[in-house]
Amino acid sequence: MKKHLSTILLAIFFVFSAIAHYAHLNPILQFVVSAIAVILVAGFLGRATESVAHYAGQRLGGFLNATFGNAAELIIAIMLLREGLYDMVKASLTGSIIGNLLLVLGLSIFAGGVKHKVQNFNVALANMNGSLMIVAVIALFVPALFLNTHSITPQEVDTLSLIVAGLLIAAYIAWLIFSMVTHKKYLEDVKDPKAPEDHEQPKWSKNKSILFLVVATVMTAFVSEWLVGTLETFTTDFGFSELFVGAFVVAIIGNAAEHSAAIMLAMKNKIGASVEIAVGSSLQIALFVAPVLIFISFFLGNTMDIVFTTLELVAIMVSVFIAKSIIQDGSTNWYEGLLLLVTYIILGVSFYLV
């Protein structure tokens, strides 16, 4: 009954969102309906990805969940690029990174810790993820530092941005090879010998799961485009800054798939998979999605630079610092999840008041 209700709601809001968009109804109504549709579609996307992950294995499954979970953010960002809203794109990327590291990971650790007290996962994987996050911070910090301390022409900024973007994409591809091919067993999740065997079967067959994954991704593309069309009016009418809307409103809506999947897995005592989704998703945003968007903007004729604002850099650095300090020992509890959530709220209030 619950599954049928979610499917009915998904269909209703998807159709309603389409009608609101093409009939040019009130922009605020369009925003609300489209935002709800994005969340419902993201939930459907999360369920389809989790089902595919069952057949693909946890490591590949976590990667797929992060990848398709980021589909909403990527598509929304591309739509924003087409509108020339580069500042909002950067804010949404910042929001995705800190949202995954603080909100998604925090909620997962908190929910899992309340039910299971202490949860463990692979320490080597935790340390590697921490190192990759630091590389992402370096890649964002260095261009901003050089631009603010030296006289650099716009052409040189674009060149630097494209070179850094290319290096980050290469590093991310190398990480995929390292984690899924050459050192797959080294990074396998910790198995608790006292934990009961998981015999839960997915609700959908392999072929149906793949089909639903494709359908959910296509639906995400449509509702994301409808949502982006309302953002400018929404921002103006409510007096929000582009920074706050991009970093928190868009990011929270776009992260809905990761929220649902990561929390459910943590409560099933699969904290390794939750960390893989939350941290892996933020890494994918920083090392792959952001660089890809820079190349897309280049081909659109106006390159988006990789220079983020001081506020955005501080938010990312704070998020990486606290997330790395919590996951580096390969063990989590509910209080550590609470600390991540407190940090997220502090940043949210700060961005709102800017």
Side-chain angles (χ1 to χ4, degrees):
M1 182 66 184
K2 187 178 177 181
K3 182 178 73 172
H4 292 306
L5 179 61
S6 64
T7 304
I8 292 169
L9 286 174
L10 170 62
I12 290 173
F13 277 96
F14 182 80
V15 172
F16 193 12
S17 181
I19 293 171
H21 174 75
Y22 291 111
H24 304 291
L25 299 183
N26 182 279
I28 301 302
L29 176 64
Q30 287 186 51
F31 173 83
V32 172
V33 174
S34 297
I36 295 172
V38 168
I39 292 171
L40 291 171
V41 171
F44 175 43
L45 186 65
R47 292 194 300 274
T49 309
E50 188 179 4
S51 185
V52 171
H54 176 86
Y55 298 103
Q58 182 170 296
R59 292 283 305 132
L60 182 57
F63 168 73
L64 288 173
N65 202 305
T67 300
F68 283 93
N70 282 332
E73 284 104 310
L74 178 60
I75 294 167
I76 289 173
I78 292 173
M79 301 302 172
L80 290 171
L81 281 181
R82 287 172 51 189
E83 297 292 326
L85 300 172
Y86 288 5
D87 288 342
M88 193 174 286
V89 172
K90 292 179 186 177
S92 69
L93 293 173
T94 301
S96 294
I97 294 171
I98 66 177
N100 280 299
L101 289 180
L102 300 179
L103 182 60
V104 179
L105 185 61
L107 284 172
S108 300
I109 292 175
F110 182 81
V114 166
K115 188 172 182 179
H116 302 286
K117 291 194 176 180
V118 176
Q119 296 179 294
N120 300 302
F121 58 99
N122 192 304
V123 178
L125 178 61
N127 288 327
M128 287 299 299
N129 279 330
S131 299
L132 281 168
M133 286 190 288
I134 291 174
V135 170
V137 169
I138 292 171
L140 297 176
F141 178 74
V142 170
L145 178 65
F146 274 81
L147 181 67
N148 291 322
T149 57
H150 291 76
S151 178
I152 302 178
T153 65
Q155 291 81 5
E156 290 173 332
V157 172
D158 291 347
T159 301
L160 177 61
S161 299
L162 290 168
I163 291 173
V164 172
L167 289 171
L168 289 178
I169 291 173
Y172 185 69
I173 293 172
W175 164 243
L176 295 181
I177 295 171
F178 178 87
S179 63
M180 294 186 186
V181 182
T182 64
H183 288 69
K184 184 178 180 180
K185 291 185 177 179
Y186 175 64
L187 298 177
E188 279 183 353
D189 195 28
V190 174
K191 290 185 179 180
D192 185 352
K194 297 180 182 178
E197 289 291 323
D198 182 17
H199 298 293
E200 184 180 349
Q201 294 298 315
K203 297 175 182 177
W204 302 319
S205 66
K206 183 178 180 181
N207 290 337
K208 188 179 284 187
S209 300
I210 294 172
L211 173 64
F212 285 166
L213 194 60
V214 174
V215 171
T217 304
V218 172
M219 291 177 73
T220 301
F222 278 103
V223 294
S224 298
E225 182 174 7
W226 300 335
L227 178 69
V228 166
T230 68
L231 284 178
E232 193 168 348
T233 302
F234 176 79
T235 303
T236 304
D237 286 2
F238 286 90
F240 294 144
S241 67
E242 285 191 1
L243 187 62
F244 177 76
V245 172
F248 286 85
V249 178
V250 173
I252 289 174
I253 293 170
N255 279 333
E258 287 97 331
H259 292 170
S260 56
I263 294 169
M264 285 189 295
L265 287 168
M267 294 184 71
K268 293 176 182 176
N269 205 21
K270 297 180 180 178
I271 191 64
S274 294
V275 172
E276 185 68 23
I277 291 170
V279 178
S281 184
S282 63
L283 287 173
Q284 191 175 76
I285 290 289
L287 301 179
F288 184 75
V289 173
V292 164
L293 288 172
I294 289 172
F295 280 105
I296 290 174
S297 66
F298 170 75
F299 290 115
L300 288 176
N302 187 16
T303 305
M304 179 182 77
D305 61 55
I306 202 170
V307 180
F308 284 62
T309 66
T310 303
L311 284 175
E312 291 166 340
L313 288 174
V314 168
I316 292 172
M317 286 186 214
V318 166
S319 304
V320 168
F321 172 75
I322 184 68
K324 185 179 186 303
S325 67
I326 282 175
I327 68 170
Q328 66 184 357
D329 62 350
S331 177
T332 62
N333 55 69
W334 69 263
Y335 187 68
E336 290 179 326
L338 182 64
L339 293 177
L340 291 173
L341 294 174
V342 168
T343 306
Y344 186 73
I345 294 170
I346 291 171
L347 288 174
V349 172
S350 301
F351 273 62
Y352 175 76
L353 294 175
V354 170

